[in-house]
Amino acid sequence: MLKFEQCLEMDQSHIRVVKPFLGGGFGQRTEALHFEIIAALLARKAGGTVRLLQTREETFLAHRGRPDTKITVKLGMTREGKLTACHLQATQEGGAYAGYGIITILYTGSLLHGIYEIPAIKHDAWRVYTNLPPCGAQRGHGTVDARAAFESLMNEMADELGIDHIEVRQRNLLPTVPYVTAYAQRIMSYGLPECLEKVKKASRWDERRGKMPRGRGLGIACSHFVSGTSTPKHWTGEPHATVNLRLDFDGAITVLTGAADIGQGSNTMAAQMIAETMGVDWQRIRVVSADSALTPKDNGSYSSRVTFMVGNAAIDAARQLERILIDAAANKLEASANDIEREGEMFRVAGTDKELHFHDVVKAALVDTGPITVKGIFTCPKEFMGSKAIKASAIGATMGFCYAAQVVECAVDEITGKVTAEKVWVAVDVGRALNPLAVEGQVQGGVWMGMGQAVSEKTHYSEGRMMHGNLLDYRVPTMVESPDIEVLIVESMDPNGPYGAKEASEGMLAGFLPALADAVHEAVGVRAYTMPLSPECVSDLLDAREGANA
């Protein structure tokens, strides 16, 4: 909205944004892109509706995908496998514009913290402008390549020390919770220890690791991500999230939220929050979302913030509306509000048989007032917004981390170099699974996207010309390549999350890349330092191995 206001030179009150129900945001739509501004300018010039269509190649050119990143990481580790220090250097090929790229490069360092206990961390990073399409936020925003490098080196060092790869992670877990990182991140829930135990047991790690037949391997890695950034995006004092509830004479509760449902199920989540808090049948709840003429402003569906922040705002609104209904019931039943008990949609005076149904209470509450609208808000406390004493700690500040551990089993064809992910076991600490089926789907999608980056997806330019502008040259995994993904849900019940919930769709992605690389090393004895692990890449590694052994 702000960018449209600036580019169109219009007051925001004259602009209406209606988001249709489309999926697949994954962070790339965090910022308004140039073709969206162009369409708006054309519509104003034409005085009518403009339809803008892009070819697949144009989509690649206009995207804000993951930047090509070069990582150099140096770890200090004792002979007992305890981490002592980390120095990570990152260089990102960002394209022609910065956009969210500044935040992306900062995330390569901020998310070194919060997953393991590391006494000292140094982070040097450069965002480089290049004559290529700009890159920006994409699922796992900034942490994917850095985490892949970190976990891979951790596995390599464990091999040198003769320490099991799960054991070395267990030796470096955070010692206590709550925990405050050197980056001023406050960790209130930490399910990574249980995640490691679950994937260890499910994959039969102790029985199978190191005992696989030639060409087969098991690999392990961990990862994490924020439940939304707790630093305000607009320093205007506005809350992080706002939800309005409207109650009318028909007894329906309308939820008005600016949060965009992009397939993650935020509309369902909002309805769940209201129904659970108020104890009403969730079928009487309708959700109206992402229409700026009707709904309160939302900061956007990115950084896995919606369930955590909008969920808390929805609970706040539900409690306010519930208070109004309890007062109305007490007045109608000639009792104290403190004596009103709730059982489902019945309001009852404690210790008596005097009761009213929800519909009757609604009618009583709306006398002389008409339809009721309440507003719920959520604002992250300042102690979770980083520290002014630490440079850039506003990026990576969060009220809750999602944690994941995953074991990947792979097969490597030593003739063709083809790597196949055969099975994935992934345990994810989501705080609380508000909708377990939706959580499972989100986790599987995150693993699947990590697999794409790990085995086939690659952008390629020749003298500035794009060479991958279609889905034949840019290889996205299909259901044929998708392995069996066994999702193991861990619930750590975060004290800040709505009913204990945290994010559940980004924290697992980064772990697939190093876990697959670890599995390939066990399978055929070669270590990969670049992604994707295409047949060409693996064949080159195998040829180099044979040359070294000759």
mmCIF file of all heavy atoms in Angstrom, residues 349-367:
data_model
loop_
_atom_site.group_PDB
_atom_site.id
_atom_site.type_symbol
_atom_site.label_atom_id
_atom_site.label_comp_id
_atom_site.label_asym_id
_atom_site.label_seq_id
_atom_site.Cartn_x
_atom_site.Cartn_y
_atom_site.Cartn_z
ATOM 1 N N VAL A 349 -25.792 -19.771 35.445
ATOM 2 C CA VAL A 349 -25.429 -19.252 36.760
ATOM 3 C C VAL A 349 -24.936 -20.415 37.593
ATOM 4 O O VAL A 349 -25.632 -21.428 37.739
ATOM 5 C CB VAL A 349 -26.616 -18.560 37.446
ATOM 6 C CG1 VAL A 349 -26.210 -18.049 38.830
ATOM 7 C CG2 VAL A 349 -27.132 -17.415 36.592
ATOM 8 N N ALA A 350 -23.731 -20.300 38.118
ATOM 9 C CA ALA A 350 -23.114 -21.401 38.864
ATOM 10 C C ALA A 350 -23.995 -21.849 40.020
ATOM 11 O O ALA A 350 -24.554 -21.031 40.764
ATOM 12 C CB ALA A 350 -21.750 -20.958 39.396
ATOM 13 N N GLY A 351 -24.167 -23.161 40.108
ATOM 14 C CA GLY A 351 -24.920 -23.744 41.215
ATOM 15 C C GLY A 351 -26.419 -23.684 41.060
ATOM 16 O O GLY A 351 -27.148 -24.013 42.005
ATOM 17 N N THR A 352 -26.901 -23.248 39.879
ATOM 18 C CA THR A 352 -28.342 -23.173 39.637
ATOM 19 C C THR A 352 -28.666 -23.799 38.286
ATOM 20 O O THR A 352 -27.774 -24.209 37.546
ATOM 21 C CB THR A 352 -28.831 -21.711 39.630
ATOM 22 O OG1 THR A 352 -28.397 -21.084 38.407
ATOM 23 C CG2 THR A 352 -28.261 -20.936 40.808
ATOM 24 N N ASP A 353 -29.950 -23.863 37.981
ATOM 25 C CA ASP A 353 -30.359 -24.338 36.666
ATOM 26 C C ASP A 353 -30.750 -23.188 35.743
ATOM 27 O O ASP A 353 -31.351 -23.394 34.682
ATOM 28 C CB ASP A 353 -31.528 -25.331 36.793
ATOM 29 C CG ASP A 353 -32.739 -24.727 37.490
ATOM 30 O OD1 ASP A 353 -32.654 -23.543 37.915
ATOM 31 O OD2 ASP A 353 -33.754 -25.430 37.626
ATOM 32 N N LYS A 354 -30.451 -21.970 36.148
ATOM 33 C CA LYS A 354 -30.745 -20.795 35.332
ATOM 34 C C LYS A 354 -29.704 -20.688 34.216
ATOM 35 O O LYS A 354 -28.500 -20.564 34.487
ATOM 36 C CB LYS A 354 -30.735 -19.532 36.195
ATOM 37 C CG LYS A 354 -31.799 -19.508 37.270
ATOM 38 C CD LYS A 354 -31.587 -18.356 38.241
ATOM 39 C CE LYS A 354 -31.700 -17.011 37.554
ATOM 40 N NZ LYS A 354 -31.543 -15.891 38.521
ATOM 41 N N GLU A 355 -30.151 -20.727 32.961
ATOM 42 C CA GLU A 355 -29.209 -20.709 31.851
ATOM 43 C C GLU A 355 -29.836 -20.058 30.618
ATOM 44 O O GLU A 355 -31.054 -19.940 30.502
ATOM 45 C CB GLU A 355 -28.744 -22.133 31.513
ATOM 46 C CG GLU A 355 -29.841 -23.068 31.070
ATOM 47 C CD GLU A 355 -29.327 -24.472 30.781
ATOM 48 O OE1 GLU A 355 -28.226 -24.817 31.239
ATOM 49 O OE2 GLU A 355 -30.053 -25.228 30.092
ATOM 50 N N LEU A 356 -28.956 -19.647 29.704
ATOM 51 C CA LEU A 356 -29.379 -19.062 28.432
ATOM 52 C C LEU A 356 -28.519 -19.636 27.310
ATOM 53 O O LEU A 356 -27.319 -19.883 27.492
ATOM 54 C CB LEU A 356 -29.201 -17.539 28.449
ATOM 55 C CG LEU A 356 -30.157 -16.704 29.309
ATOM 56 C CD1 LEU A 356 -29.685 -15.252 29.314
ATOM 57 C CD2 LEU A 356 -31.581 -16.807 28.779
ATOM 58 N N HIS A 357 -29.144 -19.812 26.155
ATOM 59 C CA HIS A 357 -28.385 -20.247 24.984
ATOM 60 C C HIS A 357 -27.686 -19.042 24.362
ATOM 61 O O HIS A 357 -28.072 -17.887 24.566
ATOM 62 C CB HIS A 357 -29.319 -20.909 23.957
ATOM 63 C CG HIS A 357 -28.589 -21.529 22.800
ATOM 64 N ND1 HIS A 357 -28.336 -20.855 21.634
ATOM 65 C CD2 HIS A 357 -28.036 -22.768 22.654
ATOM 66 C CE1 HIS A 357 -27.673 -21.647 20.806
ATOM 67 N NE2 HIS A 357 -27.478 -22.813 21.405
ATOM 68 N N PHE A 358 -26.659 -19.302 23.591
ATOM 69 C CA PHE A 358 -25.864 -18.276 22.939
ATOM 70 C C PHE A 358 -26.743 -17.276 22.185
ATOM 71 O O PHE A 358 -26.536 -16.059 22.283
ATOM 72 C CB PHE A 358 -24.862 -18.936 21.977
ATOM 73 C CG PHE A 358 -23.970 -17.977 21.263
ATOM 74 C CD1 PHE A 358 -22.805 -17.494 21.847
ATOM 75 C CD2 PHE A 358 -24.275 -17.534 19.973
ATOM 76 C CE1 PHE A 358 -21.977 -16.599 21.186
ATOM 77 C CE2 PHE A 358 -23.443 -16.649 19.305
ATOM 78 C CZ PHE A 358 -22.291 -16.180 19.914
ATOM 79 N N HIS A 359 -27.733 -17.768 21.433
ATOM 80 C CA HIS A 359 -28.596 -16.872 20.649
ATOM 81 C C HIS A 359 -29.325 -15.880 21.544
ATOM 82 O O HIS A 359 -29.446 -14.688 21.220
ATOM 83 C CB HIS A 359 -29.599 -17.682 19.835
ATOM 84 C CG HIS A 359 -29.064 -18.153 18.524
ATOM 85 N ND1 HIS A 359 -28.761 -17.308 17.489
ATOM 86 C CD2 HIS A 359 -28.772 -19.413 18.082
ATOM 87 C CE1 HIS A 359 -28.297 -18.002 16.459
ATOM 88 N NE2 HIS A 359 -28.291 -19.290 16.792
ATOM 89 N N ASP A 360 -29.803 -16.344 22.682
ATOM 90 C CA ASP A 360 -30.524 -15.456 23.600
ATOM 91 C C ASP A 360 -29.586 -14.434 24.218
ATOM 92 O O ASP A 360 -29.962 -13.272 24.433
ATOM 93 C CB ASP A 360 -31.207 -16.293 24.696
ATOM 94 C CG ASP A 360 -32.263 -17.225 24.125
ATOM 95 O OD1 ASP A 360 -33.006 -16.791 23.230
ATOM 96 O OD2 ASP A 360 -32.319 -18.392 24.569
ATOM 97 N N VAL A 361 -28.358 -14.858 24.497
ATOM 98 C CA VAL A 361 -27.375 -13.931 25.054
ATOM 99 C C VAL A 361 -27.014 -12.858 24.024
ATOM 100 O O VAL A 361 -26.859 -11.680 24.363
ATOM 101 C CB VAL A 361 -26.115 -14.687 25.519
ATOM 102 C CG1 VAL A 361 -25.038 -13.716 25.998
ATOM 103 C CG2 VAL A 361 -26.463 -15.672 26.633
ATOM 104 N N VAL A 362 -26.893 -13.265 22.762
ATOM 105 C CA VAL A 362 -26.585 -12.301 21.706
ATOM 106 C C VAL A 362 -27.687 -11.250 21.616
ATOM 107 O O VAL A 362 -27.407 -10.042 21.541
ATOM 108 C CB VAL A 362 -26.414 -13.018 20.352
ATOM 109 C CG1 VAL A 362 -26.363 -12.011 19.201
ATOM 110 C CG2 VAL A 362 -25.148 -13.866 20.361
ATOM 111 N N LYS A 363 -28.936 -11.691 21.634
ATOM 112 C CA LYS A 363 -30.054 -10.745 21.565
ATOM 113 C C LYS A 363 -30.010 -9.764 22.737
ATOM 114 O O LYS A 363 -30.269 -8.560 22.581
ATOM 115 C CB LYS A 363 -31.374 -11.497 21.554
ATOM 116 C CG LYS A 363 -31.620 -12.284 20.283
ATOM 117 C CD LYS A 363 -32.914 -13.086 20.377
ATOM 118 C CE LYS A 363 -33.130 -13.921 19.115
ATOM 119 N NZ LYS A 363 -34.358 -14.757 19.207
ATOM 120 N N ALA A 364 -29.672 -10.285 23.918
ATOM 121 C CA ALA A 364 -29.598 -9.416 25.098
ATOM 122 C C ALA A 364 -28.449 -8.422 24.975
ATOM 123 O O ALA A 364 -28.573 -7.248 25.364
ATOM 124 C CB ALA A 364 -29.429 -10.270 26.359
ATOM 125 N N ALA A 365 -27.324 -8.864 24.426
ATOM 126 C CA ALA A 365 -26.142 -8.001 24.312
ATOM 127 C C ALA A 365 -26.350 -6.888 23.297
ATOM 128 O O ALA A 365 -25.757 -5.801 23.425
ATOM 129 C CB ALA A 365 -24.931 -8.846 23.927
ATOM 130 N N LEU A 366 -27.217 -7.132 22.293
ATOM 131 C CA LEU A 366 -27.383 -6.165 21.216
ATOM 132 C C LEU A 366 -28.518 -5.170 21.456
ATOM 133 O O LEU A 366 -28.755 -4.278 20.628
ATOM 134 C CB LEU A 366 -27.609 -6.899 19.890
ATOM 135 C CG LEU A 366 -26.325 -7.217 19.081
ATOM 136 C CD1 LEU A 366 -25.341 -8.019 19.895
ATOM 137 C CD2 LEU A 366 -26.676 -7.953 17.795
ATOM 138 N N VAL A 367 -29.213 -5.316 22.581
ATOM 139 C CA VAL A 367 -30.273 -4.363 22.915
ATOM 140 C C VAL A 367 -29.688 -2.948 23.035
ATOM 141 O O VAL A 367 -28.684 -2.726 23.719
ATOM 142 C CB VAL A 367 -30.967 -4.757 24.232
ATOM 143 C CG1 VAL A 367 -31.909 -3.627 24.703
ATOM 144 C CG2 VAL A 367 -31.753 -6.047 24.051
#
